[in-house]
Amino acid sequence: MAVLIANIGTSDLAVKLKDFDYFLPIGFDRDEPNTTDAGLTSDEKILWERNTRDEFIADELCKELEVEYKTRDNGKKIYSFRRLTEKLLSAYRQDPDNWHGRIRPGRIWGVLNTAIHRFSVKKVNIFVTDQPSQHDQDTCFLFEILKTWAEVELGEEIILLRRMIPQDVSPVKADQLLNVYYQFFVEQIDPDETVLVSIKGGTQQMQTALRLQSITADIPKLLFIDPVLSKQNVLHGQPSTCDLTSYWQYQRTQKYRVVKQLLERYDFAGACKVLKDWQSILSFQIEQGILSRSQLSSSRKIVTSVINGLQVADSLMNLDVDAAKKSIQEMNLDPTSDLDADIKQAVEEYSTLLNLYTHCKIFAHNQQVSHFLSRMSSCCEEILDETIKKLGGNRYLKSAPVGSRVEIQEIKGLLPDDQLSLLDSLDYDRNGKYAKIVYRASKVHFLAILLAIRKNTGKGEVQEDNSLSLLLSQIKNLEFWIHRRNEMIHDSRGFSSRRISELNEQAEKEGSCRFQDILQVLSQILDSSLLKLRNIHKQRFITGSDLYLYSDLRKWVEEKLLLDMRTH
């Protein structure tokens, strides 16, 4: 389905005078640029002159319809377009046989032809004016003339709908008109339809308002029908030829601006959706012949690679590194580019710990408290897992239906006698053969056992126990907020940034840090020698302002889109 939206104005009516061979435009009062007299006879050139037209219309048509006109001091004859069309409508209805063949819709006829024959439009929305002051250029009677004419020439299946500019809205007040057109698009237009727009009519403010609201309505299949003025066609009562315009470069600018705004909040999924929608818009415009496939070939390749880059980032935001590694193959990375090489290496050498910490920074930046606490809790779990791994504890862990487990006898044989009591803190299974290492508390107890084993077997390092004590005390500093996260999970109760001050008081009473200090505590933990993070990562992503993976991906996307803007 397709729908047409159009302004009409005084240039949309031509009438053949009695004993004339030509149709004269009644209210065509503008000298448009880039028009030519080529092909016009000397008589046609004379008729087109505005003063000549007005004189013929006043002397012939106005007299025939009994419409008053005035003659200025300079001899120019002027008449009311509103009054003339009112009288013409009345005469047309009384004697259609006499008047129908003498009326032509002017340039709007070409718009209607294009919409009907090329897009099978059945419904036409036409904006008209009927001001309380009964302004000379009102188009309310013109609409009725066009509607009556169209029922004969175009068939009754073509429906012309009058969309009246409210009488309390001035046709020259741009802000008021913007609201009128906005309400129309919201209430009357299905954004999934093909929407055709013609702005050639009405006041300049009406034209601007309709154009702006059409573009900003976010309609994927939007085209503008622009009638091309042909003086010869008008005089001979022929419809205008029309061009189709999409303003695709303006639309692209707007889409890319939205992408940039989404990336400021690291909303990679949202940015990806915007660009996929943009690709659909380009496909539609190629199908309609507005743009050529070859014209946009390289541009579409850039956008496709950007979408893949955004999918990499979105997969990493969802902790799906396998999907990220798959999408990165479609990014068309340049091996000679340092940025491209850094992205490829970062994904290949992916760190879950750094990614979780970075998520905390992102959610804190976006003030998404619930998401922040969820990732903070996961980050603490990963810190414990990574510490166990770095201390060689994975060799003792066996897979289990949930989490991991350790074999008690194996561990017991590695502990000195004075440390066997550490085993009492573990969570044994039913037969007492294994202990479950699943939750945070069990991992903390296992780390204490692991340190004792390392000391007893001569594998411990200097200050290892002090480093672990500091790390665990820092995690304990987050205890209050970890419990709040658990409450959200189990009780379906969260909280927003407005409650932070209230919760900070509770946290300090329970010996935990304030909410705004959580990132600082996490950064101190990640600086621990036990985790053995690379110094370059600590400097850039922990103490520095860059975000692991995402700063580079965001920069890469923005550079690619800027390249597309500059080259296409």
Side-chain angles (χ1 to χ4, degrees), residues 247-295:
Y247 297 101
W248 73 273
Q249 290 181 316
Y250 176 81
Q251 290 186 67
R252 178 179 64 177
T253 300
Q254 296 301 104
K255 294 291 184 184
Y256 287 6
R257 184 172 296 162
V258 171
V259 168
K260 187 172 183 179
Q261 289 173 340
L262 290 169
L263 291 181
E264 288 175 359
R265 292 179 57 82
Y266 300 93
D267 183 356
F268 299 104
C272 189
K273 175 68 167 56
V274 170
L275 290 182
K276 285 183 176 180
D277 290 346
W278 174 238
Q279 281 195 320
S280 298
I281 291 172
L282 290 180
S283 295
F284 167 74
Q285 295 187 6
I286 289 172
E287 290 170 6
Q288 298 304 323
I290 308 300
L291 304 169
S292 69
R293 196 173 299 275
S294 59
Q295 180 183 1

Side-chain angles (χ1 to χ4, degrees), residues 168-429:
D168 60 348
V169 173
S170 170
V172 295
K173 296 294 184 182
D175 285 341
Q176 296 176 4
L177 290 166
L178 283 167
N179 187 56
V180 170
Y181 288 111
Y182 170 78
Q183 292 295 333
F184 169 77
F185 275 97
V186 170
E187 297 171 4
Q188 302 293 334
I189 297 301
D190 179 354
D192 294 328
E193 289 184 308
T194 297
V195 177
L196 309 171
V197 178
S198 174
I199 64 170
K200 287 283 189 179
T203 64
Q204 291 291 339
Q205 291 84 356
M206 288 173 65
Q207 295 179 21
T208 300
L210 178 54
R211 179 191 285 113
L212 288 177
Q213 287 297 7
S214 300
I215 294 173
T216 57
D218 198 23
I219 298 169
K221 297 179 179 179
L222 172 69
L223 293 173
F224 290 83
I225 302 179
D226 297 326
V228 179
L229 175 61
S230 166
K231 299 175 182 179
Q232 194 170 46
N233 281 359
V234 173
L235 292 170
H236 287 269
Q238 297 299 316
S240 302
T241 59
C242 294
D243 292 333
L244 293 177
T245 306
S246 66
Y247 297 101
W248 73 273
Q249 290 181 316
Y250 176 81
Q251 290 186 67
R252 178 179 64 177
T253 300
Q254 296 301 104
K255 294 291 184 184
Y256 287 6
R257 184 172 296 162
V258 171
V259 168
K260 187 172 183 179
Q261 289 173 340
L262 290 169
L263 291 181
E264 288 175 359
R265 292 179 57 82
Y266 300 93
D267 183 356
F268 299 104
C272 189
K273 175 68 167 56
V274 170
L275 290 182
K276 285 183 176 180
D277 290 346
W278 174 238
Q279 281 195 320
S280 298
I281 291 172
L282 290 180
S283 295
F284 167 74
Q285 295 187 6
I286 289 172
E287 290 170 6
Q288 298 304 323
I290 308 300
L291 304 169
S292 69
R293 196 173 299 275
S294 59
Q295 180 183 1
L296 288 178
S297 176
S298 58
S299 175
R300 296 182 80 186
K301 285 181 181 178
I302 291 175
V303 176
T304 298
S305 66
V306 167
I307 288 173
N308 286 314
L310 292 169
Q311 288 174 334
V312 169
D314 184 53
S315 296
L316 293 170
M317 286 296 295
N318 287 287
L319 304 174
D320 189 350
V321 66
D322 292 333
K325 288 180 177 178
K326 185 176 181 180
S327 294
I328 203 171
Q329 303 302 320
E330 309 297 327
M331 285 176 62
N332 296 321
L333 293 174
D334 180 1
T336 64
S337 164
D338 290 340
L339 179 59
D340 292 34
D342 287 345
I343 291 171
K344 188 172 187 296
Q345 182 180 7
V347 174
E348 289 175 349
E349 300 175 0
Y350 171 77
S351 165
T352 301
L353 180 56
L354 282 175
N355 194 21
L356 288 169
Y357 171 71
T358 303
H359 288 186
C360 292
K361 293 177 77 172
I362 289 173
F363 292 136
H365 170 268
N366 291 345
Q367 295 185 322
Q368 295 171 286
V369 176
S370 296
H371 291 316
F372 172 79
L373 290 182
S374 178
R375 279 298 191 263
M376 177 213 68
S377 183
S378 297
C379 189
C380 289
E381 293 286 344
E382 183 64 21
I383 287 168
L384 294 175
D385 290 342
E386 193 67 16
T387 304
I388 290 172
K389 176 183 176 181
K390 289 299 195 295
L391 293 178
N394 283 359
R395 73 183 67 181
Y396 307 115
L397 296 176
K398 310 291 191 295
S399 62
V402 178
S404 303
R405 62 183 182 175
V406 293
E407 188 175 352
I408 298 300
Q409 288 302 319
E410 180 185 9
I411 298 298
K412 188 175 183 179
L414 297 172
L415 285 171
D417 292 342
D418 61 349
Q419 297 291 314
L420 290 175
S421 60
L422 292 172
L423 297 174
D424 296 339
S425 60
L426 295 178
D427 183 11
Y428 288 71
D429 62 10

Side-chain angles (χ1 to χ4, degrees), residues 386-387 390-391 454 461-471 474 523-535 538:
E386 193 67 16
T387 304
K390 289 299 195 295
L391 293 178
R454 286 172 64 83
E461 298 179 3
V462 177
Q463 298 296 318
E464 200 171 66
D465 52 351
N466 290 338
S467 296
L468 181 61
S469 296
L470 178 60
L471 184 148
Q474 289 168 327
S523 68
Q524 292 169 351
I525 294 172
L526 294 180
D527 193 43
S528 171
S529 59
L530 294 176
L531 294 170
K532 300 180 180 178
L533 292 177
R534 295 170 58 188
N535 285 333
K538 290 181 183 180

